[in-house]
Amino acid sequence: YSLFPNRPKWTSKVVTYRIITYTRDLPRFKVNQLVEKAFAMWSKEIPLQFKKIKTGIADIMIGFARGAHGDGSPFDGPGNILAHAFSPAPRLGGDAHFDEDERWTDGTSIGINFLFAVTHELGHSLGLGHSPDPKAVMYPTYEDRDAKDFKLSQDDIEGIQDLYGKRRD
Ligand SMILES: CC(C)C[C@H](CS(C)(=N)=N)C(=O)N[C@H]1Cc2cn(c3ccccc23)CCCCCCNC1=O
Ligand SMILES: [Ca+2]
Ligand SMILES: [Zn+2]
Ligand SMILES: [Zn+2]
């Protein structure tokens, strides 16, 4: 695993998130469900709580956008970069954006597996960089085969616990 320089991390016990924009590829309830599931995978391993808020500014703002969308990292059309997320910090820090020009799927049809991508992006939002382990969720490239019912690899778990410690309960 790898961390970002200076090991940025969330220092509050509760980290808030808010889904700002949705995709036309999936129903809203499905996006909500898969985001919730991705948070749960990470929070199972660390003493951090995630709280969804419906209005105002959350630590982790989540949304879909295409091309240039105001953060200096424009998306690039179908394929190539699928999404990006910022390491823990105020304002843009922690935010996760998904390229609307991709075809997002919940695994029942062809396209990019949204649950896998969210889990990867939230790894960045929590402070993880990329891993050289091809079995890790934090591996830099997306492979379809990895996205079918995956789970956090030992490397992912070691990395997030290096930053936040083990969940004790
Ligand atoms: C792990 C993801 C969920 C998130 C990461 C982006 S990030 C910032 N969050 N680390 C991602 O999108 N990686 C690219 C990396 C990549 C692979 N190629 C590329 C060709 C051009 C540009 C990028 C790529 C080769 C062709 C395949 C392109 C489709 C798949 N794209 C990727 O795997
Ligand atoms: Ca793209
Ligand atoms: Zn962005
Ligand atoms: Zn990445």
Side-chain angles (χ1 to χ4, degrees):
Y1 63 89
S2 67
L3 304 177
F4 289 100
N6 301 324
R7 295 166 64 99
K9 60 182 276 195
W10 298 104
T11 51
S12 50
K13 280 269 153 294
V14 180
V15 170
T16 56
Y17 76 92
R18 184 177 161 208
I19 302 174
I20 307 289
T21 53
Y22 287 82
T23 171
R24 58 183 175 206
D25 298 339
L26 292 165
R28 287 172 79 112
F29 84 91
K30 187 50 86 174
V31 170
N32 295 339
Q33 207 177 62
L34 295 175
V35 168
E36 194 71 37
K37 200 167 171 194
F39 272 114
M41 275 192 235
W42 290 111
S43 70
K44 195 158 70 79
E45 312 298 344
I46 51 178
L48 205 54
Q49 241 183 303
F50 298 110
K51 189 169 174 306
K52 177 176 179 167
I53 61 176
K54 289 212 177 345
T55 60
I57 311 278
D59 297 313
I60 299 178
M61 304 281 258
I62 296 169
F64 293 80
R66 63 164 46 87
H69 54 277
D71 62 9
S73 310
F75 279 130
D76 51 15
N80 299 341
I81 292 293
L82 307 176
H84 57 223
F86 299 86
S87 50
R91 287 181 301 288
L92 192 59
D95 294 3
H97 302 154
F98 298 84
D99 191 346
E100 182 56 70
D101 281 334
E102 311 307 338
R103 182 206 299 250
W104 297 104
T105 171
D106 64 353
T108 58
S109 68
I110 56 161
I112 307 291
N113 184 288
F114 183 61
L115 178 60
F116 185 91
V118 181
T119 309
H120 179 98
E121 297 312 324
L122 291 182
H124 290 317
S125 303
L126 295 175
L128 284 182
H130 285 145
S131 167
D133 180 347
K135 286 190 305 308
V137 169
M138 296 316 293
Y139 192 67
T141 56
Y142 173 88
E143 309 285 347
D144 269 338
R145 71 174 180 291
D146 304 340
K148 296 265 160 302
D149 38 47
F150 70 96
K151 59 186 176 55
L152 295 184
S153 73
Q154 271 315 313
D155 180 78
D156 299 312
I157 294 168
E158 263 167 52
I160 203 70
Q161 289 180 344
D162 178 357
L163 211 44
Y164 295 99
K166 274 186 181 353
R167 191 174 190 99
R168 271 185 302 282
D169 63 35

PDB file of all heavy atoms in Angstrom, residues 69 71 73 75 84 86 97, ligand 3:
ATOM      1  N   HIS A  69     -14.930  20.329 -14.799  1.00  0.00           N
ATOM      2  CA  HIS A  69     -16.022  20.489 -13.824  1.00  0.00           C
ATOM      3  C   HIS A  69     -15.575  21.279 -12.604  1.00  0.00           C
ATOM      4  O   HIS A  69     -16.023  21.041 -11.487  1.00  0.00           O
ATOM      5  CB  HIS A  69     -16.587  19.110 -13.432  1.00  0.00           C
ATOM      6  CG  HIS A  69     -15.553  18.153 -12.941  1.00  0.00           C
ATOM      7  ND1 HIS A  69     -14.770  17.410 -13.806  1.00  0.00           N
ATOM      8  CD2 HIS A  69     -15.149  17.827 -11.689  1.00  0.00           C
ATOM      9  CE1 HIS A  69     -13.941  16.663 -13.085  1.00  0.00           C
ATOM     10  NE2 HIS A  69     -14.146  16.891 -11.810  1.00  0.00           N
ATOM     11  N   ASP A  71     -12.562  21.752 -10.938  1.00  0.00           N
ATOM     12  CA  ASP A  71     -11.528  21.463  -9.928  1.00  0.00           C
ATOM     13  C   ASP A  71     -10.141  21.303 -10.555  1.00  0.00           C
ATOM     14  O   ASP A  71      -9.257  20.689  -9.966  1.00  0.00           O
ATOM     15  CB  ASP A  71     -11.888  20.213  -9.111  1.00  0.00           C
ATOM     16  CG  ASP A  71     -11.966  18.960  -9.987  1.00  0.00           C
ATOM     17  OD1 ASP A  71     -11.582  19.029 -11.174  1.00  0.00           O
ATOM     18  OD2 ASP A  71     -12.422  17.919  -9.465  1.00  0.00           O
ATOM     19  N   SER A  73      -9.103  19.380 -12.655  1.00  0.00           N
ATOM     20  CA  SER A  73      -8.795  18.033 -13.167  1.00  0.00           C
ATOM     21  C   SER A  73      -9.935  17.572 -14.060  1.00  0.00           C
ATOM     22  O   SER A  73     -10.776  16.748 -13.632  1.00  0.00           O
ATOM     23  CB  SER A  73      -8.622  17.041 -12.007  1.00  0.00           C
ATOM     24  OG  SER A  73      -7.749  17.558 -11.052  1.00  0.00           O
ATOM     25  N   PHE A  75     -12.317  15.698 -16.688  1.00  0.00           N
ATOM     26  CA  PHE A  75     -12.403  14.300 -17.117  1.00  0.00           C
ATOM     27  C   PHE A  75     -12.195  14.238 -18.622  1.00  0.00           C
ATOM     28  O   PHE A  75     -12.171  15.267 -19.301  1.00  0.00           O
ATOM     29  CB  PHE A  75     -13.758  13.705 -16.707  1.00  0.00           C
ATOM     30  CG  PHE A  75     -13.785  13.268 -15.255  1.00  0.00           C
ATOM     31  CD1 PHE A  75     -14.828  13.669 -14.427  1.00  0.00           C
ATOM     32  CD2 PHE A  75     -12.766  12.478 -14.731  1.00  0.00           C
ATOM     33  CE1 PHE A  75     -14.853  13.269 -13.094  1.00  0.00           C
ATOM     34  CE2 PHE A  75     -12.792  12.088 -13.405  1.00  0.00           C
ATOM     35  CZ  PHE A  75     -13.828  12.484 -12.591  1.00  0.00           C
ATOM     36  N   HIS A  84     -11.810  10.316  -9.932  1.00  0.00           N
ATOM     37  CA  HIS A  84     -10.684  10.755  -9.130  1.00  0.00           C
ATOM     38  C   HIS A  84     -11.204  11.200  -7.767  1.00  0.00           C
ATOM     39  O   HIS A  84     -12.390  11.477  -7.612  1.00  0.00           O
ATOM     40  CB  HIS A  84      -9.848  11.852  -9.794  1.00  0.00           C
ATOM     41  CG  HIS A  84     -10.603  13.091 -10.168  1.00  0.00           C
ATOM     42  ND1 HIS A  84     -10.422  13.741 -11.375  1.00  0.00           N
ATOM     43  CD2 HIS A  84     -11.533  13.819  -9.510  1.00  0.00           C
ATOM     44  CE1 HIS A  84     -11.200  14.810 -11.414  1.00  0.00           C
ATOM     45  NE2 HIS A  84     -11.881  14.872 -10.311  1.00  0.00           N
ATOM     46  N   PHE A  86      -9.787  13.295  -3.870  1.00  0.00           N
ATOM     47  CA  PHE A  86      -8.742  14.110  -3.249  1.00  0.00           C
ATOM     48  C   PHE A  86      -8.452  13.599  -1.835  1.00  0.00           C
ATOM     49  O   PHE A  86      -9.370  13.166  -1.137  1.00  0.00           O
ATOM     50  CB  PHE A  86      -9.181  15.574  -3.235  1.00  0.00           C
ATOM     51  CG  PHE A  86      -9.419  16.122  -4.625  1.00  0.00           C
ATOM     52  CD1 PHE A  86     -10.655  15.962  -5.250  1.00  0.00           C
ATOM     53  CD2 PHE A  86      -8.392  16.746  -5.318  1.00  0.00           C
ATOM     54  CE1 PHE A  86     -10.871  16.419  -6.555  1.00  0.00           C
ATOM     55  CE2 PHE A  86      -8.605  17.215  -6.619  1.00  0.00           C
ATOM     56  CZ  PHE A  86      -9.842  17.054  -7.232  1.00  0.00           C
ATOM     57  N   HIS A  97     -15.090  12.259  -7.410  1.00  0.00           N
ATOM     58  CA  HIS A  97     -15.844  12.568  -8.629  1.00  0.00           C
ATOM     59  C   HIS A  97     -15.755  11.397  -9.598  1.00  0.00           C
ATOM     60  O   HIS A  97     -14.698  10.773  -9.726  1.00  0.00           O
ATOM     61  CB  HIS A  97     -15.277  13.824  -9.310  1.00  0.00           C
ATOM     62  CG  HIS A  97     -15.296  15.027  -8.434  1.00  0.00           C
ATOM     63  ND1 HIS A  97     -14.416  16.088  -8.583  1.00  0.00           N
ATOM     64  CD2 HIS A  97     -16.074  15.349  -7.382  1.00  0.00           C
ATOM     65  CE1 HIS A  97     -14.658  16.997  -7.669  1.00  0.00           C
ATOM     66  NE2 HIS A  97     -15.673  16.584  -6.923  1.00  0.00           N
TER      67      HIS A  97
HETATM   68 ZN    ZN B   3     -13.169  16.411 -10.123  1.00  0.00          ZN
END
